[in-house]
Amino acid sequence: MLHCNSLRILCTGMGWPSAQPGGLNTYFKHICESLAARHELEALVCSAKKPVVQDIRVTNVAATDMKLSKRRDAFRKHAAELMNGQDIDIVYSHFAPYSIGVAMEAKARNIPVVMTFHGPWSEEIRLEGKGLKHRIKTIIAKSWEMKAYRLADAFIVLSETFRDILHHQYGVSLSKIHIIPGGADVARFKPAADRTAIRRKLQLEEGTTAVLTLRRLVNRMGLLQLLEAWKEVARTVPDAVLFIGGKGPLHGELESRIAEYGLQSRVRLLGYIPDHELADYYQAADLFVVPSQALEGFGLITVEAMAAGVPVMATPIGGNREILQKYRPDMLFAGKSSEAMASGLIRLLQHREMWPTAEQCRSHVLENYTWDRVSKQVDSVFNHVIDQHMIAYGGIRQETAGKKGGCEQDEGSLFGSYR
């Protein structure tokens, strides 16, 4: 079918990274910005404060301190208002609890729905708690996920691992699932022009080999296993210092372990690193490490670090395995245990001649993991779903008006009355 390049897209996410950090929100921001360069797009999020945005329409529909059910209802109400006021070609959703009502409103109006599956939300909840109350919370979360996913016409996943989880654990047909890896902001994350100045700014001593990880401080991220491994690394590689950036419930236990292991001079907890400082930390590091134990859907920080010219070593979990296996399989740990991490880090830190160069790291990202590449693949999924929807319902696809993509301009723009 002949397509107009511009679509009218309603996107729903979880939050916006300027107000609520995290991989899902970072992905949502970048894919929305990339799609908005070619399409008419409105994004709905839930945020504790007003999102900081440029050149894109983002509406905060609810506060994060509201009950989850009320936030879900707020998304549905706002989406219904938008759908009643304007024609929308497709709904693109990113977080199951907020997607349910929006998808129901879309289905009532014969609007196709595409969802990006960022991982098993209920399983993430299960891994981070215990007790009857927590089990009930997990069961409710799984029921919400199942309800949302039954409403989707197609799914985008960021890795083969999440394709398999979506298929086996949620019963989604493989024919509905499209694998599109994430990307890195390659204009922002790039090798430093003056790396020495950045290391001085961050108070890194001369001769220090800086090993960096940026993680939410929760169990499945593998930080306790990494600390256990670092005991052996510290004994064997005297100039290596581990820097851990992030915040979360594991902070106190990490502090205790560092003291217990006598690693106060060899491990630094950096706390939360603001988004605008991330590039400096990547550029200052010699090596980036990702010690994930479970549910690593893609590895956004992996490609960001590589775009900045930093070699990455990771456990063979989820998307990180897929990123590194086809690039430098020797940069994967043999397993996810502390012993495997210690062995891999010592091998690499003692043989820097084995490391990929900054140019090689960045080239791999430029060839495979840019947001322009991602958004074009998402476009293809949208067009396929819309075409299939038209065939199924015997309709005629109505081409979108607007200057983007070379179509004629309608009077007024999409969502104009709701700015």
Side-chain angles (χ1 to χ4, degrees):
M1 284 192 178
L2 178 64
H3 296 142
C4 172
N5 290 335
S6 185
L7 298 172
R8 296 166 292 204
I9 307 168
L10 174 59
C11 293
T12 66
M14 183 169 68
W16 201 255
S18 62
Q20 184 182 353
L24 190 159
N25 296 332
T26 299
Y27 178 97
F28 184 69
K29 170 183 180 289
H30 284 296
I31 194 60
C32 283
E33 289 174 340
S34 296
L35 290 170
R38 294 190 296 277
H39 304 292
E40 293 283 354
L41 181 147
E42 171 110 349
L44 307 182
V45 298
C46 174
S47 179
K49 57 184 179 180
K50 185 177 180 180
V52 178
V53 298
Q54 292 181 335
D55 303 324
I56 185 172
R57 288 187 288 273
V58 179
T59 302
N60 182 24
V61 302
T64 53
D65 59 358
M66 293 172 60
K67 287 182 62 175
L68 186 58
S69 59
K70 290 189 178 296
R71 283 179 263 157
R72 175 199 62 194
D73 295 344
F75 271 86
R76 180 172 187 170
K77 179 182 177 182
H78 201 92
E81 291 174 354
L82 290 173
M83 294 175 193
N84 290 339
Q86 300 285 343
D87 289 331
I88 293 173
D89 290 307
I90 199 157
V91 167
Y92 182 32
S93 297
H94 287 260
F95 183 50
Y98 299 164
S99 301
I100 296 172
V102 178
M104 291 173 70
E105 295 294 337
K107 290 299 178 183
R109 294 163 178 80
N110 203 27
I111 299 170
V113 176
V114 173
M115 294 186 184
T116 290
F117 176 74
H118 290 273
W121 175 55
S122 55
E123 181 69 6
E124 291 178 13
I125 292 173
R126 186 189 68 79
L127 289 173
E128 297 304 327
K130 298 177 181 178
L132 177 61
K133 186 176 180 179
H134 195 81
R135 287 201 297 273
I136 292 171
K137 186 177 179 181
T138 301
I139 292 168
I140 293 171
K142 183 66 175 284
S143 71
W144 281 27
E145 288 179 295
M146 296 297 292
K147 187 173 183 179
Y149 298 155
R150 283 195 292 267
L151 295 166
D153 295 282
F155 294 86
I156 292 169
V157 297
L158 280 64
S159 64
E160 295 172 4
T161 300
F162 274 8
R163 174 201 61 194
D164 295 343
I165 290 175
L166 186 59
H167 175 58
H168 293 297
Q169 295 186 21
Y170 295 90
V172 174
S173 168
L174 290 173
S175 64
K176 282 189 169 186
I177 304 173
H178 305 264
I179 301 174
I180 303 176
D185 183 346
V186 294
R188 180 182 169 209
F189 299 116
K190 56 188 176 183
D194 187 351
R195 188 164 174 271
T196 302
I198 290 178
R199 286 172 66 91
R200 193 179 300 121
K201 172 185 167 183
L202 298 179
Q203 300 180 336
L204 286 176
E205 294 180 8
E206 190 83 22
T208 297
T209 298
V211 179
L212 174 67
T213 189
L214 303 174
R215 308 262 70 192
R216 254 193 321 138
L217 307 187
V218 296
N219 284 311
R220 68 183 179 87
M221 297 300 181
L223 296 170
L224 294 176
Q225 290 84 353
L226 179 59
L227 274 187
E228 185 76 25
W230 202 256
K231 289 192 297 183
E232 184 63 29
V233 175
R235 284 194 289 266
T236 311
V237 188
D239 66 344
V241 178
L242 175 64
F243 296 84
I244 301 173
K247 62 180 180 179
L250 214 59
H251 186 271
E253 186 169 357
L254 290 170
E255 282 189 321
S256 297
R257 294 285 184 95
I258 290 168
E260 178 188 342
Y261 298 161
L263 294 173
Q264 294 93 328
S265 64
R266 306 297 300 277
V267 179
R268 280 173 51 185
L269 295 179
L270 303 172
Y272 170 65
I273 298 174
D275 186 68
H276 66 274
E277 295 181 12
L278 280 178
D280 283 351
Y281 280 88
Y282 284 134
Q283 291 173 340
D286 293 288
L287 179 69
F288 196 86
V289 61
V290 187
S292 301
Q293 298 294 293
L295 303 181
E296 187 71 64
F298 170 58
L300 201 62
I301 55 173
T302 299
V303 294
E304 286 179 350
M306 290 174 64
V310 184
V312 177
M313 196 164 200
T315 50
I317 302 297
N320 283 314
R321 175 185 58 79
E322 295 167 37
I323 292 168
L324 294 175
Q325 186 69 54
K326 65 180 181 180
Y327 168 57
R328 284 287 300 266
D330 58 315
M331 301 299 287
L332 286 167
F333 294 116
K336 62 181 184 179
S337 68
S338 58
E339 293 81 9
M341 288 188 220
S343 175
L345 284 166
I346 290 169
R347 169 178 59 83
L348 208 64
L349 290 169
Q350 289 184 332
H351 297 281
R352 292 191 65 152
E353 72 278 3
M354 296 168 53
W355 296 18
T357 66
E359 292 76 16
Q360 289 170 337
C361 291
R362 183 168 174 81
S363 292
H364 186 63
V365 175
L366 292 175
E367 291 168 9
N368 298 282
Y369 304 111
T370 66
W371 286 112
D372 181 63
R373 180 186 177 94
V374 172
S375 64
K376 286 176 180 175
Q377 292 178 77
V378 172
D379 274 348
S380 296
V381 173
F382 287 172
N383 282 315
H384 173 74
V385 169
I386 292 170
D387 286 346
Q388 293 301 309
H389 201 263
M390 291 296 101
I391 292 169
Y393 287 93
I396 299 173
R397 180 169 177 176
Q398 197 170 27
E399 300 294 6
T400 302
K403 288 294 184 183
K404 291 180 183 179
C407 304
E408 293 295 321
Q409 177 79 37
D410 267 351
E411 291 184 11
S413 62
L414 178 63
F415 309 114
S417 60
Y418 294 96
R419 286 185 179 176

